[in-house]
Amino acid sequence: MGSYIVRRLFIAVPVFFGITVLSFLIMNLAPGNPVDMLINPNIPKELLELKREKLGLNDPLYVQYANWLGGILRGDLGYSFSSYAPVSELIGKRIGPTLLLAAASLLIGLLIAIPVGVISAVKRNSKLDYFLTGMTFLGISIPPFFLGLGLIYITGIQLKWLPTGGISTLGGDGGTGDVLLHMILPVTVLGAAIAGKKVRYVRASMLEVLDQDFLRTARAKGLRELVVTNKHALRNALIPVIAVVGAEIPLLLGGSIVIEQVFQWPGIGQLTMEAILSRDYPVLMGLNLIAACVVLLINLFTDVLYAAADPRITYG
């Protein structure tokens, strides 16, 4: 396993450089630049040209890429065109809230999806199965932003039970209890979206495993149905679900852009939207780079979990 992880890390190096080239080209081929945002009859053209020269936008693309890549290798992601703050500092401040939101949502989503999927499979074609399937389709069908706005209106504005935005109360102590209170609505929305998708995977995987011969053998030995389901069937059924969950995490980080906007959550989703609106290329490229590293690490982690869950899988 150790040699396999080392090989995967070596393979990730050219993939990483490929991602840097693509990110740089896509950002520079996009129409407009930060100086275009400053175009105003009151600003002299000479000043705009000086600004363009200072930002290095007049340099050839390969020079701009070499300067950017050299900075990355030194641990420097550059400076924001709009705020002039270091990109690493901007991302460092925002990534914590996003990871907190994503991790809590994924945990809640799986805590709902796994037992519901198992019950739906064990009680297949029953009234309970039809009810759970209907609720699952309802959860999948409601767009997260619509559910978020609905929860804000009902629990925040009408009932005044929960805060409607931010990560803590303005002027408050920002304690753990306050943060948890502010997490309830965004985690509910993201968790519901994750659970709705995963219930179908867990149910289908369990249905496939429940008909296997080794479970009939276990029942023939006199094992209780609860032991057969939870100990023997569930472990095998979760193996394909691990891959699906691994692929879900990058999508979860991307999907948090909308949720963070709805709930004014100060994470990288909100930072991404601000950078897009101001055409702040260094911030966008830094965010792309971080997202690519997260995907590479999660794919490696997923493969390791695969081997841990299924002893038949070996990596030479």
Side-chain angles (χ1 to χ4, degrees), residues 56-282:
L57 298 176
N58 290 333
D59 294 335
L61 277 184
Y62 67 87
V63 174
Q64 294 183 46
Y65 173 73
N67 291 334
W68 179 62
L69 185 61
I72 290 173
L73 296 178
R74 294 192 303 272
D76 179 11
L77 294 177
Y79 288 84
S80 164
F81 282 168
S82 58
S83 67
Y84 305 105
V87 173
S88 55
E89 185 179 310
L90 290 174
I91 295 176
K93 287 180 181 176
R94 302 294 190 97
I95 199 166
T98 292
L99 290 178
L100 177 65
L101 181 63
S105 303
L106 185 63
L107 179 64
I108 296 297
L110 292 178
L111 286 177
I112 296 172
I114 292 175
V116 170
V118 170
I119 293 171
S120 187
V122 172
K123 304 290 184 184
R124 64 181 128 178
N125 300 328
S126 66
K127 290 182 180 178
L128 181 59
D129 180 29
Y130 294 144
F131 172 74
L132 294 176
T133 301
M135 294 301 294
T136 301
F137 281 121
L138 185 65
I140 296 173
S141 303
I142 299 177
F145 75 91
F146 185 78
L147 178 60
L149 292 176
L151 289 176
I152 287 175
Y153 178 74
I154 295 171
T155 63
I157 297 175
Q158 293 296 322
L159 301 175
K160 301 186 185 305
W161 286 351
L162 295 169
T164 58
I167 192 172
S168 61
T169 305
L170 288 175
D173 59 356
T176 304
D178 192 32
V179 173
L180 290 175
L181 200 62
H182 283 76
M183 286 176 63
I184 291 176
L185 288 183
V187 167
T188 299
V189 175
L190 272 179
I194 294 170
K197 297 175 186 173
K198 297 297 163 291
V199 166
R200 304 303 299 162
Y201 286 109
V202 175
R203 182 183 184 277
S205 186
M206 277 295 290
L207 284 177
E208 188 175 340
V209 172
L210 285 173
D211 292 331
Q212 297 291 321
D213 290 337
F214 72 95
L215 289 187
R216 296 193 188 96
T217 305
R219 293 190 186 97
K221 288 181 177 179
L223 292 178
R224 289 183 301 164
E225 189 61 32
L226 196 62
V227 176
V228 173
T229 302
N230 292 337
K231 185 176 179 181
H232 297 283
L234 183 58
R235 180 174 179 177
N236 289 278
L238 287 182
I239 293 173
V241 177
I242 290 173
V244 177
V245 172
E248 179 76 21
I249 295 175
L251 297 176
L252 182 61
L253 294 177
S256 66
I257 293 176
V258 176
I259 299 303
E260 289 184 7
Q261 288 296 311
V262 171
F263 292 100
Q264 292 299 300
W265 189 264
I268 58 173
Q270 204 174 55
L271 178 64
T272 303
M273 188 57 70
E274 293 168 1
I276 291 172
L277 294 176
S278 61
R279 294 185 173 90
D280 201 340
Y281 296 154

